[in-house]
Amino acid sequence: MPRIPVSTGVELHYETAGDGDPLLMIMGTSGALPLWGELAARLAQTHRVITVDNRGMGGSDRGDGPISVASMAADCAALLDALQVPRAHVLGWSLGSAVAQEMALARPEQVASQVLYGTWGRCDGFQRAVLTALRLPYVHRDMESALAASGIAFSPQALDDPDVGALLEALLPGFPQDEAQMQVTVEQWDADLAHDTLDRLGAITAPTLVVVGEQDLLTPQWQSRAVAERIPGARFELVTGPGSSHCMHLERPEDLTKVVTGFLGGQRI
């Protein structure tokens, strides 16, 4: 399990696969690397993919200090520095997309382009209600309820599929494994709720793709569209139809891969 120091007392678990321009993939709330499903392997067919467990999750150390979107962005920037990758494409999902925004603002020289998948710039009342509800089972260390509530990240079609139980069971290694990771997840939900870049997005210079699913209830399409409208020259892509959920990369990995590689193909380093 490769790990690399990024700050005092913190080593991050990361994996690399494929060749080509480097692509850093940043995970969402409560997730570790297995939650990428097929997406990382698919993107590794065209890029050198670097996946990382955010601090305190998966195989990465928690360390000291607060967990915020900015601190996770600093971790990811330090990871690229430690790997001697001066410039990379960045794909962030959900919380990872907020981290990617902060990276693009704080370290613009490091971000060649960015894919913001399931993103937002500032919580509105609807999103705040959804994220607050999802946070509560982790506060009470109730993993059974947390997993049940995570169903909102999937499409109605997936949840009505007789095999949905097997799908969720296969994803269990990607969720928190102990109380310490559940506490980190609470801190990640707090970071989601506090995330606010909306008035700063105009300073992002990296070519940007914003992609979201029509059925996404965690980061609704109007939130993602608002981000695309604030970033100069950003491209907005709405994926429609069955399986276009917050977990679109698990339900429709081939379609999402086409959208992402179609964008990245024109963004050489």
Side-chain angles (χ1 to χ4, degrees), residues 33 52 82 85 243 268:
L33 297 191
V52 59
V85 177
R268 305 295 297 176

Side-chain angles (χ1 to χ4, degrees), residues 1 8 15 24 26 45 55 62 65 75 80-81 99-100 144 151 173 185 192 215 219 256:
M1 187 170 71
T8 303
E15 295 180 358
L24 174 65
I26 310 175
Q45 295 177 21
R55 65 164 59 205
R62 164 63 176 84
D75 285 344
L80 292 181
D81 288 340
V99 173
E144 183 178 356
T185 301
D192 286 324
Q215 297 173 316
T219 55
L256 183 59

Side-chain angles (χ1 to χ4, degrees), residues 228-268:
E229 289 173 349
R230 296 289 185 108
I231 297 175
R235 171 181 152 191
F236 178 75
E237 185 87 24
L238 177 66
V239 179
T240 62
S244 59
S245 66
H246 192 65
C247 287
M248 182 166 52
H249 66 284
L250 298 173
E251 298 193 51
R252 292 174 57 179
E254 183 176 0
D255 292 336
L256 183 59
T257 299
K258 286 179 181 178
V259 171
V260 172
T261 55
F263 169 75
L264 292 178
Q267 309 297 331
R268 305 295 297 176

Side-chain angles (χ1 to χ4, degrees), residues 47-189:
H47 289 77
R48 177 193 172 196
V49 169
I50 304 165
T51 50
V52 59
D53 285 328
N54 290 314
R55 65 164 59 205
M57 301 302 292
S60 293
D61 297 331
R62 164 63 176 84
D64 298 321
I67 289 178
S68 66
V69 173
S71 72
M72 285 182 275
D75 285 344
C76 288
L79 172 70
L80 292 181
D81 288 340
L83 293 175
Q84 299 183 337
V85 177
R87 194 164 169 81
H89 305 293
V90 178
L91 182 153
W93 171 47
S94 198
L95 171 61
S97 76
V99 173
Q101 292 173 31
E102 289 288 5
M103 276 188 74
L105 288 165
R107 294 287 300 272
E109 77 287 352
Q110 203 172 36
V111 180
S113 72
Q114 60 176 351
V115 178
L116 305 178
Y117 161 39
T119 199
W120 75 106
R122 178 188 298 147
C123 281
D124 61 6
F126 177 85
Q127 188 181 20
R128 184 170 295 278
V130 171
L131 300 186
T132 299
L134 290 169
R135 174 184 181 275
L136 193 58
Y138 290 97
V139 173
H140 294 291
R141 309 296 191 256
D142 183 353
M143 198 64 207
E144 183 178 356
S145 293
L147 290 172
S150 72
I152 197 174
F154 292 86
S155 70
Q157 294 78 25
L159 295 177
D160 286 337
D161 190 313
D163 296 326
V164 67
L167 168 65
L168 290 175
E169 185 174 357
L171 295 174
L172 285 178
F175 283 92
Q177 300 297 302
D178 53 36
E179 285 203 12
Q181 292 188 354
M182 293 187 79
Q183 174 56 33
V184 170
T185 301
V186 173
E187 296 173 78
Q188 289 186 340
W189 288 121

